[in-house]
Amino acid sequence: MKLHTYLTPKTLSFKKIIGLVTLMLMVSQIFGLDIPSNAISGLESNSINASNDGILNTDTYTNPAIPAPFNKTVCEGDNWTFTADPGANFVWEVSTNSGGSWASIGGNTPTLTLNNISFLMNGYWYRCTVDAGIPSTPAVLTVNPLPASAGVITGTSPHCQGENGVAYSVPAITNATGYVWDLPSGVTLATGGNTRSITVNFTATAVSGAITVYGTNGCGNGVVSGPFNVTVNPLPDGAGAIGGTATACQGQSGVAYNVGAITNATSYSWTYSGIGATINSGTTNSITIDFATNATSGNLTVKGVNACGNGTTSAIYAISVNPLPGAAGIISGFTPECQGVSGIAYNVVAIANATSYTWAYSGSGVTVNGTSNSVTLDFATNATGGNLTVRGANACGTGTVSANYAITVNPLPGNAGVITGSSPHCQGDLNVAYSVPAIANAIGYTWSLPSGVTIASGLNTNSITVNFTATAVSGAITVQGTNACGSGTVSAPYNVTVNPLPVAAGAIGGTAAVCQGQSGVAYSVGAITNATSYTWTYSGLGATINNGTTNSITIDFAANATSGNLTVRGVDACGNGVVSANFSIVVSPLPANPGVITGSSPHCQGDLNVAYSVPVIANTTGYIWNLPSGVNIASGGNTNNITVNFTGTAVSGAITVQGTNACGDGNLSGPYNVTVNPLPNASGVIGGTATVCQGQSGVAYSVGAIASATSYTWSYSGTGATINGTTNSVTIDFAAGATSGNLTVKGTNACGSGTVSANYAI
């Protein structure tokens, strides 16, 4: 059954009619429609059949019904066809919205074709009305736009082959979801593909050309941008083969090398891998090289250079540099030499790369025999001193000459003249001068001296000083000149007399251990040969030597004398003999002076274990404490820390202390004064009433005043008795129930209580 729709005139108001006319005119302009014509030309056709997915359904129904909408999404520029089932009087209508005014855009045909759809048609609604006059459910057309035209590309030009990371960009393209860049040959995309900002690399084969870009999205491609023309400057071509001399010598200069002209090169870069080669005119394709005397073999290469960089380096051109002889080492041989000697050998260590040796001597009268690294020299009788040198030689030239080897040619010394000096001398005399006039050609002097006479200064010169040792003897002094060629004639003797010193002192005898303050202690030594006097010496302090110029003495040791060593030596007109061995004397000291005693005061008679001390007394083996009467040492006797007991008879007084040792007692310390407060004396006999009655009050009792008592303590052994008072006179109240008892009293003070009285029976 066909779907029929009917359009009744009464359904359109005047305003709707005016709106539809306006819409039809607009749609006619947009789509290029001739209103009853359905022939709409376009680029692309996509037919949508209503029986499958068109805007109208083909279900058969009796009463008019509205089919489900069929909405379509297309791209700008697409061609689309809507098809309904065949029928009569088809009318196709369009509206700007589904509920607005509708305008007819074609009729009496089952198809509606929209060609080259414009983005301006986006959101329009379409429906079809057939014979029955009932319109179909509207369908909306959604039109997705193509990307907009690309803008102007920005970037830089020119660039070089091999340049990387060059940036180009285009303004954002409206509706573009991607970007397609077109690059010249050899220019590759580095980063930013499918975006509006890219970086490119110019490969070694990159050429000049245009860069373009266009936007893309799901509907297609936008309009391509204008070209951005970039100039690509080429690198130099690869260098060809180098020509030149493959073998050179160290020290050779101006050796020529070249390479064919390199395309695109504005300069040339030459490199030599060896050392000691100086390249001249090194930026052209023809150069010369100066090979230094230390030049080594190496490889020569070249490459073209221009503003864009370096071309490919040439193949290696190997140059073999033949060495000069090495530098000559140090000559070894003999110097000085004497005129008239022959066959004296000299040599140098073999010189690297040398095939022969060239020797030279700067003096006269010397013949060099040989051309190897070992030669001999003959010195004529008129030969002079000079410098010997050598250098190696080979086909490339001569090496560096050796350092000068100076050879001195010496004559024999002349005859020695007359010695001057002094005599006699003593054993032990020092720095006695002797001299001889300078001897011609002498470079040294040999002195001959008597036994025990030694040279102190001037050895090997014509002026010496000598020391006469303790064993020196009388004898002759002579001298002769010397040099490398030998010794000259000995001088006439100079006879010197040597007087002896006393012989060495023997062992000292005497007392090795003494005390400070001891006097007249005897010491002696055996008689010393050659001694006319004796010198005694004591290294300690406080010792007085008596009869000190003989071989027997006594010593007085003062109270402050210290231990030391006693020595003696003999003395005569020439001086002192050898000192004796040390005789060690140990001086035992008296105890040192005590320091200040520390302790406490005052104390009471009867106080026990009271401490007193004094700092340790130097040199003390014991301590002697002096205490007041009645004060006894409880502990620490013979030490520097004691405790004492104050007996009941102790009295005030001074405490002193002194150190003691085997040599005696030291000085007393300063006194430490201690006050001893006494206890009260013993109580006397109580006086008073011996018989009383219960209930009796104010009964008087007394005792004689107790010395040192500041108060009195009364006691009653019975009960019911109240004692009134703390003096030596009291009264007692006896209660009604009082009992008999004994009354006693004792004196008290700050130190305690005195002896209690005898019982007084009541």
Side-chain angles (χ1 to χ4, degrees):
M1 179 178 180
K2 305 298 183 181
L3 173 66
H4 299 279
T5 61
Y6 296 94
L7 180 64
T8 60
K10 66 179 180 180
T11 60
L12 295 174
S13 67
F14 179 77
K15 289 183 178 180
K16 289 182 178 179
I17 292 171
I18 296 301
L20 286 171
V21 170
T22 303
L23 177 62
M24 291 173 64
L25 290 173
M26 182 177 66
V27 171
S28 174
Q29 291 173 351
I30 293 171
F31 296 116
L33 296 172
D34 293 329
I35 288 306
S37 174
N38 294 313
I40 300 174
S41 62
L43 299 175
E44 182 179 356
S45 178
N46 293 277
S47 295
I48 303 173
N49 192 291
S51 63
N52 295 318
D53 57 359
I55 65 171
L56 304 176
N57 69 37
T58 58
D59 293 339
T60 300
Y61 53 92
T62 302
N63 296 317
I66 304 301
F70 184 82
N71 299 328
K72 286 299 168 185
T73 299
V74 299
C75 289
E76 184 179 8
D78 283 356
N79 301 326
W80 286 92
T81 298
F82 296 94
T83 303
D85 287 340
N89 299 319
F90 286 92
V91 177
W92 291 93
E93 295 174 302
V94 65
S95 176
T96 57
N97 58 73
S98 61
S101 298
W102 292 87
S104 175
I105 58 172
N108 203 27
T109 175
T111 61
L112 175 65
T113 300
L114 305 177
N115 290 330
N116 195 21
I117 295 172
S118 168
F119 180 66
L120 295 176
M121 298 167 66
N122 180 50
Y124 280 72
W125 293 82
Y126 297 85
R127 71 184 182 182
C128 179
T129 303
V130 293
D131 292 343
I134 299 174
S136 66
T137 301
V140 67
L141 180 67
T142 300
V143 181
N144 290 331
L146 288 168
S149 297
V152 177
I153 296 171
T154 57
T156 56
S157 178
H159 288 285
C160 293
Q161 289 175 337
E163 195 168 346
N164 293 326
V166 180
Y168 294 93
S169 64
V170 70
I173 299 173
T174 305
N175 303 322
T177 58
Y179 293 77
V180 178
W181 291 85
D182 187 27
L183 304 172
S185 176
V187 181
T188 60
L189 189 65
T191 63
N194 205 32
T195 70
R196 70 182 188 90
S197 296
I198 63 172
T199 62
V200 302
N201 295 336
F202 293 89
T203 68
T205 60
V207 297
S208 301
I211 298 175
T212 61
V213 66
Y214 58 89
T216 65
N217 63 21
C219 286
N221 301 326
V223 178
V224 177
S225 69
F228 184 93
N229 295 312
V230 62
T231 300
V232 181
N233 294 323
L235 290 167
D237 287 357
I242 296 172
T245 302
T247 302
C249 284
Q250 287 179 334
Q252 190 173 353
S253 298
V255 182
Y257 298 91
N258 62 79
V259 69
I262 299 173
T263 303
N264 299 321
T266 58
S267 182
Y268 293 77
S269 177
W270 293 83
T271 304
Y272 183 67
S273 65
I275 62 172
T278 301
I279 299 174
N280 306 307
S281 303
T283 58
T284 68
N285 68 325
S286 294
I287 62 167
T288 62
I289 297 180
D290 298 336
F291 294 93
T293 56
N294 64 339
T296 62
S297 298
N299 296 318
L300 182 65
T301 57
V302 66
K303 57 187 171 187
V305 181
N306 64 18
C308 283
N310 300 323
T312 303
T313 301
S314 68
I316 290 170
Y317 185 82
I319 301 174
S320 177
V321 179
N322 292 325
L324 287 168
I330 297 173
I331 296 172
S332 60
F334 299 95
T335 187
E337 289 302 330
C338 295
Q339 292 174 336
V341 298
S342 298
I344 307 301
Y346 297 89
N347 64 79
V348 71
V349 175
I351 300 173
N353 308 316
T355 57
S356 67
Y357 294 77
T358 301
W359 292 84
Y361 184 71
S362 64
S364 61
V366 175
T367 302
V368 180
N369 306 303
T371 58
S372 70
N373 68 319
S374 295
V375 295
T376 61
L377 271 60
D378 297 336
F379 295 89
T381 55
N382 64 342
T384 62
N387 293 318
L388 181 63
T389 58
V390 65
R391 66 174 64 189
N394 64 15
C396 282
T398 56
T400 304
V401 70
S402 68
N404 288 333
Y405 183 85
I407 300 175
T408 301
V409 180
N410 291 329
L412 286 170
N415 295 331
V418 176
I419 296 172
T420 58
S422 58
S423 179
H425 284 284
C426 292
Q427 290 175 336
D429 281 357
L430 303 176
N431 298 317
V432 179
Y434 294 93
S435 64
V436 70
I439 300 173
N441 304 318
I443 60 172
Y445 292 78
T446 300
W447 292 84
S448 178
L449 303 172
S451 176
V453 181
T454 60
I455 294 177
S457 65
L459 181 67
N460 209 32
T461 70
N462 68 319
S463 294
I464 63 172
T465 62
V466 301
N467 293 337
F468 292 88
T469 68
T471 60
V473 296
S474 300
I477 298 175
T478 60
V479 66
Q480 61 189 134
T482 63
N483 63 19
C485 291
S487 301
T489 304
V490 176
S491 69
Y494 182 91
N495 295 311
V496 62
T497 299
V498 179
N499 295 319
L501 287 168
V503 301
I508 295 172
T511 303
V514 298
C515 287
Q516 288 179 335
Q518 192 172 348
S519 299
V521 184
Y523 298 92
S524 64
V525 70
I528 300 173
T529 304
N530 302 321
T532 59
S533 180
Y534 293 77
T535 298
W536 293 83
T537 303
Y538 182 68
S539 64
L541 301 174
T544 302
I545 298 173
N546 305 305
N547 302 317
T549 59
T550 67
N551 67 327
S552 294
I553 62 168
T554 62
I555 298 180
D556 298 335
F557 294 94
N560 65 342
T562 62
S563 298
N565 293 316
L566 181 65
T567 57
V568 66
R569 66 174 70 191
V571 180
D572 67 7
C574 283
N576 299 322
V578 177
V579 71
S580 67
N582 287 334
F583 182 83
S584 179
I585 300 175
V586 175
V587 180
S588 297
L590 289 168
N593 289 329
V596 176
I597 296 172
T598 58
S600 59
S601 178
H603 284 284
C604 292
Q605 289 175 339
D607 282 356
L608 302 178
N609 297 315
V610 178
Y612 293 94
S613 65
V614 72
V616 173
I617 301 173
N619 309 318
T620 293
T621 59
Y623 293 77
I624 299 173
W625 289 87
N626 303 295
L627 305 172
S629 176
V631 181
N632 300 324
I633 292 177
S635 66
N638 206 35
T639 71
N640 67 318
N641 293 291
I642 63 172
T643 63
V644 302
N645 293 336
F646 291 87
T647 68
T649 61
V651 296
S652 299
I655 299 175
T656 60
V657 68
Q658 63 192 127
T660 182
N661 63 19
C663 285
D665 299 333
N667 293 324
L668 284 172
S669 69
Y672 183 91
N673 294 311
V674 62
T675 299
V676 180
N677 293 320
L679 289 169
N681 286 353
S683 176
V685 177
I686 296 173
T689 303
T691 301
V692 296
C693 291
Q694 289 179 334
Q696 190 174 349
S697 299
V699 181
Y701 296 92
S702 65
V703 71
I706 301 172
S708 303
T710 58
S711 181
Y712 293 78
T713 300
W714 294 83
S715 298
Y716 183 68
S717 64
T719 62
T722 301
I723 299 172
N724 305 302
T726 58
T727 67
N728 67 324
S729 294
V730 296
T731 62
I732 299 179
D733 298 334
F734 295 94
T739 63
S740 298
N742 292 316
L743 180 65
T744 59
V745 68
K746 58 184 174 183
T748 62
N749 63 15
C751 285
S753 299
T755 303
V756 71
S757 67
N759 288 332
Y760 183 81
I762 300 175

